[in-house]
Amino acid sequence: MKNEPLYILTYEHGGYVLWKDRVKPRIKSLFEWMEKYPGLRIGLDYESFTFDEFSREDPEVVELICELLKKYPDRVGLGATTYGQPLSLTISEESNARQLLYAVRTNLAYCGKTPNVYAISEFALNNQTPQLAKLCGYEAAILRSHVMGYGYPKTFDSAWGKWIGKDKTEIPAVPTYHGQGRGYNCTTVDNWILSRWPVDSVLYSLDDFKEMFSKYSPLLATRYDDLTQPIETLHAEIEHREDYEYILLEDIPKIYGEPVDKLETTDNDFHVQMPWGYCGNEIFNGCRKGEVAAVQGEKINAISVALGGKSEQGKSEEAWKYTLAAEHHDVTICGLLDLSRRFIPSSLAASDYVKSQSISALAKRFSDKDCDTLFVFNGHSFAVDDWVEVECEEELSVFDGEFQLDSDYSDGKLRVHISLPALTAKSFKLIKKENLTKCDYCWNSDSGELVTPVYTLKVNEKGIVNLKNNSDNSCVLDNGEGELFTAWVDNKPCASVGSWSVNVAAHGAKAVYSGVIGTVPFSFEMLFSGNSKRIDCKTRFEMNGELIGRTDITQGRPVPLTRNGHHHEDKLCFVINTCLDSDRRMVRDLPYSISDWNGALLKTEEYWYPNDRILIDTEVSAEESFNSTTYMHGIYWFALRDEKQGIAVANRGCMGSAVEGNRVYVPLVYSNEYMCGTRILNGVFENEFALIPFCADKTDAELHRDAVSYVYPPVSAVMAKGRGDINTFAFADFKSDNEVVLTALYPEDNHILARFCNYSDSHSSAVLTPSVGNVKCETDLLGNELDIIENGKLSFRPWEIKTVKITL
């Protein structure tokens, strides 16, 4: 419309994390501004964790926020749509769900209101956001990352449309316009103007913005930026302009009406870069531990509740909330170790309480009157065949009835091979050690060869030489003359040098490589178990202030600090050379998704507005793409595969990788100059990941299950003898297409919620039949009841997330 105003939406990005001491003064300033500028309407983008934490530390802050919202209900809006303001492409699927649902509940609990439009400052967007947002009751979304230091979405030639995500869920959305800005380390042009104009020397004004994007109607300029920005001068400048109009999030649906344009996105339309190895990966690994412990704790509690135990819902929520706070983008990208070292242990302590209380209750049912028992619970919706490890004072044999399980004992830990159906808990008798048949494990220190039932590993002082399949002598890894770790240490290229010690047990082997890379001492452990193809790996580095990584990566010229932490191959990396054809694919998992990564080169440019430069995707040939360096990450795993074989790297926190042809780098440590806070490391830093070689017939969905079972191993514990009455309990019978995977199982109020996702491009089905209670209905993420379920039968669209309520 010719006389239509430029709509302006401005929200204060901040909260407890990073801005703790600035919130109260800013809120007081907003009271003054609301009286001084009657035309002003403004919102508060404070992570919802702010309310919980300030209620404990400084309740006056919460009181002031609530008073501001109550005094100016039509002029001050609430903008927090996530609990901990994460970068959503670097947290687990269930963390993405909890970030949204706990934000809604926390907002309602303190303020009696919550936003109806999903909007964010920094990159909390992914291809399943439309589905997740709709499941939390959002009516619309803003498909913009306003501050794009670490991620940016696709742009569209549209003012308003239907954002169509992975599973084809549609949600009305205002997109990022073509030319509005996309690329790392920049903001959208309107966000830049609304945060700095006219105080700073800014190339564009709001009038310029209106002219630049005049084709879009209604035209919306949005700001979700730091509460420290000096924006009062801007308010004074436009207070009496009739061609500008402030709006709040809740105004968007009625201003825009029914969407017509289609805003279709793919997984690869959401670009993210992270400083993998930053802080020795301590924060990333810690967040993963918190995610896993929270999921495992509430699953074992659900089993306990089904058998008459007490619900630990409050403690489980506490565990989740502290992990979600640790996932805050400023904690992870600014290396806020003081907060992560408080939040993550608090989360783990709460999860440990849930687990210990639940197992204590379960011991009353699963203990044996004659001997101690090993209790194991498979919380997955698929059968597992794995090795579990528990602390044990002496070597014992493990029996399933009359059948003796394979086990090994060393360093005070008992490792046991178990096979369990889906969602099944079972106890196994522990008795005096009996003789076991040795497996075919053999270590030859002279040749540096370890022969297992599955592989032959050849090593030398430089690291791994090669890894071969025993079945056909085909090569899985070929590191030439030997290689394991590479790094730039104190501005010099270095490679690992060390020696191997191998301990061969009855049913496994542990190969330990100890040495130095530059001046950094390290140890590396490879654990082979029974006939498993998976190889579990652990690393340990002792840092003493060394510089790790490069700051001169462009042919000796200094580069901006914004790039140093993202040039992964010069960090301290675990390195492997795969043996794949040049037509190999790169595959990874993302939140509720499995996706091919196209590997196309990106012509990256460092820029901030007002410089009018836009990052452009560039088409490259297949050969150029194969030989180029591609950065990719997977939440739980990434894989390279061709038509004959492949190898996946599953991780427990170190999610990044750099791929050059068949050469794979996994960055583990970065300790050098960095824009968001240089962290020079001292102390011990550890990582855990697994190598999963596989054959061509393994599907991506099966790979996902393999990785998930590594990240979430079966829950196990030793139970003292007692008066239990059962030794096996199947929580439910679950029959499904292989692609449907359980992601959460937890007690809530007087029922149990189970969440599933169809990890497939095809329609799928499942039948869930609980042993206790019955499946009543589907719910949204908030637990609100939706469709009634008949006989536990579930139908899934491709990539659909579905939550069901089990009444007890």
Side-chain angles (χ1 to χ4, degrees), residues 443 499-503 510-514:
W443 163 243
S499 59
W500 290 86
S501 63
V502 179
N503 179 30
K510 182 185 292 185
V512 179
Y513 178 51
S514 301

Side-chain angles (χ1 to χ4, degrees), residues 7 70 151 230 529 542 572 598 608 654 673 710:
Y7 292 106
K70 185 177 181 180
S529 302
E542 298 179 27
L572 204 168
N598 56 24
W608 287 79
C654 49
E673 294 179 349
Y710 166 73

Side-chain angles (χ1 to χ4, degrees), residues 178-412:
H178 280 342
Q180 191 181 355
R182 68 187 184 98
Y184 300 126
N185 196 32
C186 69
T187 77
T188 54
V189 65
D190 46 341
N191 186 91
W192 186 269
I193 296 166
L194 290 169
S195 299
R196 294 157 179 85
W197 177 80
V199 175
D200 290 350
S201 177
V202 178
L203 181 62
Y204 301 127
S205 68
L206 278 176
D207 286 338
D208 293 326
F209 177 83
K210 191 173 182 181
E211 178 64 27
M212 291 163 64
F213 300 100
S214 59
K215 65 186 291 187
Y216 301 112
S217 178
L219 179 60
L220 179 65
T222 57
R223 165 186 172 264
Y224 254 67
D225 209 342
D226 295 346
L227 56 81
T228 54
Q229 298 290 356
I231 60 174
E232 184 183 5
T233 307
L234 180 143
H235 298 330
E237 182 78 18
I238 65 176
E239 173 68 21
H240 302 293
R241 292 281 296 269
E242 295 183 357
D243 54 342
Y244 294 153
E245 182 179 331
Y246 280 109
I247 65 170
L248 299 176
L249 288 174
E250 48 264 40
D251 299 316
I252 288 177
K254 56 190 175 186
I255 288 173
Y256 281 89
E258 286 297 319
V260 175
D261 295 348
K262 292 184 177 181
L263 313 176
E264 297 187 69
T265 57
T266 70
D267 289 333
N268 293 332
D269 288 329
F270 299 88
H271 302 259
V272 67
Q273 67 172 0
M274 292 298 286
W276 303 122
Y278 185 47
C279 298
N281 271 336
E282 174 185 330
I283 299 175
F284 297 118
N285 294 342
C287 289
R288 174 62 56 75
K289 288 178 182 177
E291 292 173 332
V292 169
V295 167
Q296 300 281 63
E298 62 189 13
K299 279 185 177 180
I300 195 71
N301 187 228
I303 300 299
S304 174
V305 168
L307 288 172
K310 177 186 174 184
S311 170
E312 299 293 346
Q313 180 180 345
K315 273 293 182 182
S316 287
E317 290 182 359
E318 179 183 329
W320 266 116
K321 286 183 172 183
Y322 276 116
T323 284
L324 301 180
E327 291 171 345
H328 191 290
H329 59 272
D330 285 326
V331 174
T332 57
I333 65 179
C334 297
L336 303 183
L337 290 164
D338 57 331
L339 293 182
S340 70
R341 290 173 180 174
R342 179 161 69 89
F343 294 163
I344 293 169
S346 296
S347 175
L348 293 174
S351 291
D352 185 65
Y353 178 86
V354 173
K355 177 182 174 182
S356 62
Q357 292 295 110
S358 301
I359 288 179
S360 293
L362 289 167
K364 298 175 183 178
R365 303 297 306 274
F366 282 88
S367 59
D368 187 274
K369 67 181 187 327
D370 297 322
C371 59
D372 291 351
T373 56
L374 171 66
F375 171 83
V376 184
F377 169 53
N378 169 22
H380 295 295
S381 55
F382 49 86
V384 296
D385 185 277
D386 208 341
W387 289 73
V388 299
E389 183 177 270
V390 291
E391 294 184 357
C392 197
E393 293 182 356
E394 60 178 324
E395 187 170 10
L396 298 170
S397 293
V398 187
F399 278 84
D400 180 6
E402 300 299 318
F403 179 72
Q404 184 176 0
L405 303 184
D406 291 343
S407 64
D408 285 329
Y409 181 83
S410 64
D411 300 326

Side-chain angles (χ1 to χ4, degrees), residues 507-526:
H507 301 284
K510 182 185 292 185
V512 179
Y513 178 51
S514 301
V516 294
I517 178 166
T519 57
V520 178
F522 69 81
S523 66
F524 170 69
E525 175 186 305
M526 301 179 79

Side-chain angles (χ1 to χ4, degrees), residues 447-732:
S447 65
E449 287 188 332
L450 170 65
V451 179
T452 82
V454 181
Y455 305 114
T456 296
L457 172 72
K458 184 172 181 59
V459 298
N460 63 15
E461 69 280 359
K462 295 180 180 180
I464 294 174
V465 177
N466 57 53
L467 179 71
K468 294 183 178 181
N469 288 306
N470 289 344
S471 59
D472 58 5
N473 204 38
S474 62
C475 202
V476 177
L477 303 175
D478 185 355
N479 281 4
E481 296 181 357
E483 191 172 31
L484 193 66
F485 298 118
T486 63
W488 277 68
V489 181
D490 290 330
N491 298 315
K492 295 179 181 179
C494 301
S496 55
V497 178
S499 59
W500 290 86
S501 63
V502 179
N503 179 30
V504 174
H507 301 284
K510 182 185 292 185
V512 179
Y513 178 51
S514 301
V516 294
I517 178 166
T519 57
V520 178
F522 69 81
S523 66
F524 170 69
E525 175 186 305
M526 301 179 79
L527 182 63
F528 299 83
S529 302
N531 296 313
S532 173
K533 288 188 174 183
R534 192 183 79 202
I535 306 167
D536 296 352
C537 302
K538 295 182 181 180
T539 66
R540 185 180 190 273
F541 301 100
E542 298 179 27
M543 302 298 302
N544 292 283
E546 295 90 351
L547 296 180
I548 305 296
R550 294 176 67 181
T551 58
D552 63 337
I553 59 175
T554 53
Q555 299 179 343
R557 294 174 295 168
V559 298
L561 295 182
T562 52
R563 189 176 294 173
N564 293 337
H566 306 292
H567 192 266
H568 301 312
E569 55 268 46
D570 292 324
K571 300 174 182 179
L572 204 168
C573 294
F574 171 76
V575 182
I576 55 176
N577 285 277
T578 64
C579 303
L580 303 172
D581 294 335
S582 59
D583 62 350
R584 59 104 174 98
R585 294 166 46 219
M586 292 184 285
V587 192
R588 62 198 177 135
D589 78 310
L590 295 172
Y592 297 105
S593 178
I594 301 171
S595 176
D596 276 15
W597 177 241
N598 56 24
L601 284 173
L602 295 178
K603 293 288 187 180
T604 57
E605 296 185 38
E606 303 291 340
Y607 75 101
W608 287 79
Y609 273 109
N611 300 323
D612 189 19
R613 293 178 289 166
I614 305 299
L615 180 146
I616 303 297
D617 290 355
T618 303
E619 296 294 332
V620 297
S621 68
E623 182 178 359
E624 287 176 312
S625 178
F626 181 78
N627 292 319
S628 69
T629 301
T630 299
Y631 297 147
M632 70 171 181
H633 82 282
I635 307 298
Y636 297 138
W637 61 276
F638 68 86
L640 273 65
R641 62 183 307 164
D642 60 20
E643 293 185 354
K644 295 177 291 186
Q645 64 176 339
I647 185 165
V649 179
N651 74 82
R652 289 181 174 165
C654 49
M655 294 172 270
S657 69
V659 179
E660 294 177 347
N662 277 331
R663 187 173 174 81
V664 178
Y665 302 81
V666 180
L668 303 175
V669 176
Y670 178 75
S671 178
N672 216 316
E673 294 179 349
Y674 189 60
M675 177 186 69
C676 293
T678 298
R679 300 287 181 261
I680 304 302
L681 302 179
N682 287 278
V684 173
F685 297 87
E686 299 176 325
N687 288 276
E688 295 185 46
F689 52 91
L691 303 179
I692 308 177
F694 58 90
C695 298
D697 59 355
K698 185 175 284 288
T699 67
D700 291 343
E702 289 171 335
L703 268 180
H704 184 68
R705 292 201 300 275
D706 288 348
V708 167
S709 63
Y710 166 73
V711 176
Y712 297 89
V715 175
S716 56
V718 173
M719 290 180 173
K721 64 177 68 175
R723 299 180 180 180
D725 58 334
I726 59 175
N727 81 328
T728 303
F729 174 67
F731 173 78

